Amino acid sequence: MMDSITSGPLYQNTITNLIDAGKVINLNRNVLERLKRPRRALTVSIPVKMDDGKVHVFTGHRVQHNQTLGPYKGGLRYHPSVDLSEVAALAALMTFKCSLLNLPLGGAKGGVPVDPGQLSKNELESLTRRFTSELSPFIGPDKDIPAPDVGTDSQVMAWMLDTYSLESGYSQTGVVTGKPVEIGGSAGRESATGLGVVYVAQRALETQKKKISGATMAVQGFGKVGMHAAIEAYALGGRVVAVSDVSGGLLNERGINIPDLVRYVRENKVVKGFPDAVAISNEDVLELDVDVLAPCALDGVITEKNCASIKAKIIVEGANGPTTHEANTYLSEKGVMVIPDILANGGGVVVSYFEWVQDLVWLFWNEEEVRNKLREVMFGSFDKVWAFSQKEKVNLRLAAMATSLMRLEKAMLLRGQAW
Ligand code: GLU
């Protein structure tokens, strides 16, 4: 039965993947039924006194999907397209991601339908603090640990930490991850998702006897994930020929100078107008003939409409849910390696886990230690999924889901959550 949780396209997509992967491993029927729905979905009203003196009431969601393996974990998204069903789908993806990456964490996600670019800093702070207050009975270092996602950043996490700590009466740095290093954040967290994308691309290229150095890459989205993926790929000698953001795309077949582009974006906010490249559309960036395509923005960008025009040999999903079920099946059958979100963009939550652990023990690692530990988890997880897909002759999305479900199934049966 469809309702406000299950009705959205990303939720339907996620459930289809869950059911298909369940068939591959003959997943316990009762485990499957439980995983099809979140444990808890909370919707709150967030009144904010805007700069013009008027109160505007925003809506906020936090969906806690599953906590069998540990406390709920997942980002908070500020974006106009947020709705309950999308948040619920993203929460389920977090459960599968944490299980696949062998983290002792469950899955959750939150969001507010708002364009943060339209708010002043004061309005954004008020919105975040009030949302945190509404969520505070349900979050905490042992319960549910938010993090940045689309439209939120380390400053938003700092306000959440402060509000939650004020309410508790003492500083609780472990309540959020992705916060500034000055207040308990981890070295290497900002670049973690993008770096994870590159580690996974590196391993995938190796299966095709190629190296990241010299490989061509197109990156859709130049925000927290895409920008760092481009920086890390460039640093390893990758040729980033195209990038895009909301303002449009850029192409330079000799390879874009990424440090120059990063400086340009810091000054101009968008990639549009960068001198050393030609302007192309956002859609064109997805259809270039490159070794690696990394969609690093929103969900539902590779669909049955454009999948026949995709020429990349490897797709690394830096975003959550960028490829629809139909497009994934089509591309996989054509021999394209589609590395699914729960593996490809897992670097973010892996370093969030490192951050949370560091906060709990008050002992901090340097950036090199974090990057080395991250590489170990990403390479190991890729290899596990790759081996499963080769052995069972299934595509990488099914292999990743199945690998994740095997761990979850065991844990749920041991805990007596299904029979
Ligand atoms: N928002 C990121 C994701 O979708 C990170 C979540 C986290 O670190 O908890 O994986």
Side-chain angles (χ1 to χ4, degrees):
M1 202 186 66
M2 294 271 239
D3 57 27
S4 55
I5 286 181
T6 57
S7 57
L10 188 60
Y11 203 92
Q12 290 298 316
N13 217 19
T14 307
I15 296 302
T16 307
N17 290 333
L18 168 64
I19 293 170
D20 286 358
K23 283 184 194 142
V24 175
I25 56 164
N26 198 15
L27 181 70
N28 177 299
R29 183 233 168 241
N30 298 344
V31 168
L32 175 68
E33 287 310 301
R34 291 201 64 166
L35 291 174
K36 278 184 188 168
R37 290 196 68 93
R39 167 98 184 266
R40 181 188 281 151
L42 179 72
T43 296
V44 298
S45 295
I46 314 166
V48 176
K49 189 170 166 207
M50 307 299 277
D51 291 348
D52 65 5
K54 291 193 184 125
V55 167
H56 185 89
V57 182
F58 293 88
T59 300
H61 306 287
R62 182 78 183 166
V63 177
Q64 298 175 332
H65 178 260
N66 181 280
Q67 61 168 354
T68 303
L69 299 170
Y72 298 109
K73 186 83 192 81
L76 272 190
R77 180 173 289 204
Y78 289 173
H79 190 273
S81 72
V82 163
D83 63 32
L84 181 60
S85 184
E86 186 192 57
V87 174
L90 293 166
L93 286 174
M94 287 309 302
T95 300
F96 304 133
K97 199 182 297 187
C98 292
S99 175
L100 173 64
L101 298 163
N102 223 7
L103 306 178
L105 296 166
K109 198 77 161 204
V112 177
V114 61
D115 178 356
Q118 299 295 313
L119 301 183
S120 70
K121 195 169 178 195
N122 277 337
E123 291 167 342
L124 195 62
E125 179 174 352
S126 305
L127 171 75
T128 302
R129 286 189 181 278
R130 185 58 189 255
F131 189 24
T132 308
S133 289
E134 295 302 330
L135 292 183
S136 65
F138 303 94
I139 61 174
D142 303 320
K143 289 190 210 167
D144 181 358
I145 307 128
D149 197 79
V150 177
T152 56
D153 58 12
S154 55
Q155 175 62 76
V156 170
M157 294 305 118
W159 290 324
M160 291 192 79
L161 184 165
D162 189 66
T163 309
Y164 185 82
S165 298
L166 282 173
E167 291 189 6
S168 332
Y170 62 102
S171 205
Q172 300 227 48
T173 53
V175 65
V176 286
T177 58
K179 55 194 171 286
V181 282
E182 293 79 358
I183 50 171
S186 176
R189 176 62 184 85
E190 290 257 336
S191 54
T193 315
L195 180 59
V197 163
V198 172
Y199 281 149
V200 164
Q202 211 176 335
R203 212 57 167 176
L205 283 160
E206 280 168 21
T207 68
Q208 302 184 352
K209 309 269 175 284
K210 290 185 198 157
K211 287 202 170 107
I212 188 99
S213 130
T216 53
M217 188 163 172
V219 181
Q220 187 241 5
F222 206 67
K224 285 193 296 291
V225 181
M227 185 177 80
H228 286 286
I231 293 172
E232 301 292 347
Y234 180 89
L236 290 171
R239 186 146 56 97
V240 184
V241 294
V243 301
S244 69
D245 67 8
V246 281
S247 72
L250 298 176
L251 172 69
N252 178 342
E253 276 169 11
R254 283 172 290 116
I256 297 171
N257 182 312
I258 299 298
D260 281 354
L261 178 62
V262 169
R263 271 188 291 278
Y264 180 87
V265 170
R266 290 227 161 97
E267 273 165 34
N268 299 277
K269 303 271 178 280
V270 289
V271 301
K272 193 177 173 169
F274 179 67
D276 195 23
V278 292
I280 56 172
S281 74
N282 237 305
E283 294 72 44
D284 290 343
V285 171
L286 297 172
E287 297 175 10
L288 294 169
D289 188 2
V290 285
D291 294 313
V292 179
L293 168 66
C296 296
L298 293 172
D299 53 87
V301 292
I302 300 175
T303 65
E304 45 279 50
K305 288 207 187 82
N306 63 356
C307 62
S309 316
I310 304 269
K311 294 175 210 68
K313 289 151 204 87
I314 298 172
I315 299 176
V316 189
E317 294 187 336
N320 286 311
T323 314
T324 63
H325 178 73
E326 292 76 12
N328 182 72
T329 308
Y330 173 87
L331 289 164
S332 303
E333 278 169 9
K334 227 176 84 180
V336 179
M337 266 175 96
V338 186
I339 307 173
D341 42 14
I342 59 171
L343 171 62
N345 69 34
V349 75
V350 169
V351 177
S352 274
Y353 163 64
F354 295 161
E355 180 174 332
W356 176 68
V357 168
Q358 292 171 84
D359 288 333
L360 296 185
V361 295
W362 304 98
L363 181 75
F364 290 87
W365 305 327
N366 65 34
E367 185 158 355
E368 204 192 323
E369 288 171 295
V370 169
R371 289 170 73 98
N372 288 341
K373 285 182 204 297
L374 174 63
R375 190 178 50 229
E376 206 177 298
V377 178
M378 298 313 288
F379 278 12
S381 303
F382 178 88
D383 292 351
K384 200 164 57 171
V385 171
W386 176 250
F388 187 97
S389 85
Q390 295 294 99
K391 184 162 168 265
E392 302 297 330
K393 307 214 170 351
V394 293
N395 67 49
L396 289 172
R397 190 177 311 276
L398 282 176
M401 263 291 206
T403 309
S404 161
L405 289 172
M406 287 191 293
R407 175 169 177 231
L408 263 173
E409 179 184 42
K410 264 193 211 134
M412 287 173 77
L413 294 174
L414 279 168
R415 284 185 59 161
Q417 294 176 336
W419 305 266

